[in-house]
Amino acid sequence: MSGATKDTEDTSDCWTVGQLAGDLGVTTRTLRFYEAEGLISPGRNGTSRVYDHRDRARMRLILRGKRFGMSLPEIREIVGMYDGAASSERRQLQTLLDRLGEITLDLQARQRDLAGTLTEVGDVADQCRRRLDELD
Amino acid sequence: MSGATKDTEDTSDCWTVGQLAGDLGVTTRTLRFYEAEGLISPGRNGTSRVYDHRDRARMRLILRGKRFGMSLPEIREIVGMYDGAASSERRQLQTLLDRLGEITLDLQARQRDLAGTLTEVGDVADQCRRRLDELD
DNA sequence: TGCGCGATTGACGTTTACGTCAACGTCAGG
DNA sequence: CCTGACGTTGACGTAAACGTCAATCGCGCA
C-alpha cells in the first residue's frame, strides 16, 4: 500500500484527454486541436489518446509560449527543438544552437520591455498616490 | 533657417495616419480600427485624422501591450488608466491604484516566467554544446 | 442488457484583429 | 483641367484558435 491511490494504471503516470485538460486548465478540444496541428503526439490505447509525462511537459511548454503571446506555428518551432536537442548530427545541433541564441536575445529584449513597463506602471501609481495625498 | 525641415506645420509635432502608421510599422487600417475600438481618439483637420505626441505615446503603449500578448479590450483598460490618473475623485483614484497593484503582480509573475524560460533555454543550449563536444 | 459516462471523429460556428475592396472627397503639381 | 497621391467611410473577406454540435463507439455496472 503505497501513498498514492492506484485505481487503474491510468492514475500512475498516464492521463486521458479529460484528465490532462482538467489539470492544465484547457479543454479537450484544445488538446485535440494541438495534436492536429502537430504540437503534441500522445500515444494511443486503442483509439483513445494516452498522455505521458513527456506530453505533459510539452504541453506546459506550449502553454507558456501562449502566455508569451506566441502563435502556434512559433510554438511548434520551439517545442520541436527540444526533440532536436538529442540529435547526433553536427549541422543540426549547430543550427539549433544558433536559433537558441536568437531566442535568448528575444527573451532578453522582452525582459527589458517588461522592466520598463513595470517602472512606468509604478510611476503612474506614484502619481495616483500623490494626487490622493493632495486631496486632504 | 532652422535645422528642422519645415514644409508644412504637419512635420513639426503632428502626423497623418499614413505617417504615423509608417513610423510605428502598422497599417492605416490598424490605426482606424483602434480608433473605432476606442483605443485612440486623434484630432481632426476637416475630416482627416491628426495624431499628436499624446496619441503617439498612446500607440506605443498599445503596441507594447500587443507584444505582451494582451487583447485589445485588455489594452483599452490599461491605456484608459493613464487618462484616469489625472482624475480628482478619490474613489476613482483608489480603484485605479488597486488595479495598478494587480497589474504589477501580473507583470512580476511574467518576469519570473521569463526568467525561468531563459534558464531553460540556456540548459538546452548547454546540452547542445556538450553533445557537440562529444562528437570529436 | 440497457444505461450513462467519457472517448472518438468530422463538420460547422464564432471571435479577434485586422486585410481588402469599392466608392468617394481633396489637394498639389504639370 | 486632369491626374495621381493620400485621405475618408462602409462593407465584406480572412486567418488563427478554438467552441459547439452530432453521430458513434467502447466500457463498467446494477
Side-chain angles (χ1 to χ4, degrees):
Chain A
M1 291 109 185
S2 64
T5 54
K6 193 182 171 189
D7 207 44
T8 69
E9 65 166 337
D10 198 288
T11 331
S12 60
D13 57 347
C14 293
W15 297 267
T16 70
V17 253
Q19 288 170 342
L20 188 59
D23 283 10
L24 298 179
V26 301
T27 67
T28 61
R29 179 70 179 92
T30 300
L31 290 178
R32 284 192 275 263
F33 181 71
Y34 286 176
E35 183 179 351
E37 294 295 307
L39 293 174
I40 30 173
S41 34
R44 297 275 170 154
N45 178 12
T47 76
S48 294
R49 290 165 176 79
V50 179
Y51 297 84
D52 62 9
H53 283 92
R54 221 177 116 276
D55 298 318
R56 223 185 134 94
R58 223 180 154 87
M59 269 307 297
R60 277 201 301 270
L61 275 176
I62 293 171
L63 294 179
R64 180 153 63 185
K66 292 234 71 184
R67 285 200 300 277
F68 290 164
M70 297 184 190
S71 69
L72 294 192
E74 285 170 337
I75 292 174
R76 176 167 42 207
E77 196 207 341
I78 307 278
V79 297
M81 288 188 174
Y82 284 76
D83 298 343
S87 165
S88 47
E89 299 177 39
R90 184 181 298 272
R91 281 249 307 127
Q92 193 172 343
L93 281 171
Q94 190 55 54
T95 309
L96 173 52
L97 202 50
D98 293 350
R99 190 73 187 86
L100 286 173
E102 292 175 24
I103 291 174
T104 301
L105 287 179
D106 176 60
L107 291 177
Q108 286 168 346
R110 281 168 187 260
Q111 270 194 330
R112 286 190 297 274
D113 209 343
L114 249 175
T117 305
L118 264 170
T119 64
E120 267 191 44
V121 169
D123 289 351
V124 176
D126 285 348
Q127 279 191 21
C128 280
R129 275 186 280 269
R130 271 196 293 274
R131 290 194 65 85
L132 277 171
D133 281 352
E134 288 171 8
L135 289 182
D136 286 330
Chain B
M1 286 115 177
S2 65
T5 53
K6 193 182 171 188
D7 208 43
T8 69
E9 66 167 336
D10 199 287
T11 331
S12 60
D13 57 346
C14 294
W15 297 266
T16 69
V17 254
Q19 289 169 342
L20 188 59
D23 283 12
L24 298 179
V26 300
T27 68
T28 61
R29 179 69 179 93
T30 300
L31 290 176
R32 283 193 277 262
F33 181 71
Y34 287 175
E35 183 178 351
E37 294 295 307
L39 293 174
I40 31 172
S41 33
R44 296 276 169 154
N45 177 13
T47 76
S48 293
R49 291 165 176 80
V50 178
Y51 297 84
D52 62 7
H53 283 92
R54 221 178 116 275
D55 298 318
R56 224 185 133 94
R58 222 180 155 86
M59 269 306 297
R60 277 200 302 270
L61 275 176
I62 294 171
L63 294 180
R64 180 153 64 187
K66 292 234 71 186
R67 285 199 301 276
F68 290 164
M70 297 184 192
S71 70
L72 294 193
E74 285 170 337
I75 293 175
R76 175 167 44 207
E77 196 208 341
I78 307 279
V79 296
M81 287 188 174
Y82 284 76
D83 299 344
S87 165
S88 47
E89 299 176 39
R90 184 180 299 269
R91 280 250 307 126
Q92 193 172 343
L93 281 171
Q94 191 55 54
T95 308
L96 174 51
L97 204 50
D98 292 350
R99 190 73 187 85
L100 286 173
E102 293 175 23
I103 291 173
T104 301
L105 287 180
D106 176 60
L107 291 178
Q108 286 168 346
R110 283 169 187 262
Q111 270 193 330
R112 286 190 297 274
D113 209 343
L114 249 175
T117 305
L118 264 169
T119 63
E120 265 192 46
V121 170
D123 289 351
V124 176
D126 285 348
Q127 278 191 21
C128 281
R129 274 185 283 268
R130 271 196 295 274
R131 291 193 64 85
L132 276 172
D133 281 353
E134 289 170 8
L135 289 183
D136 288 331

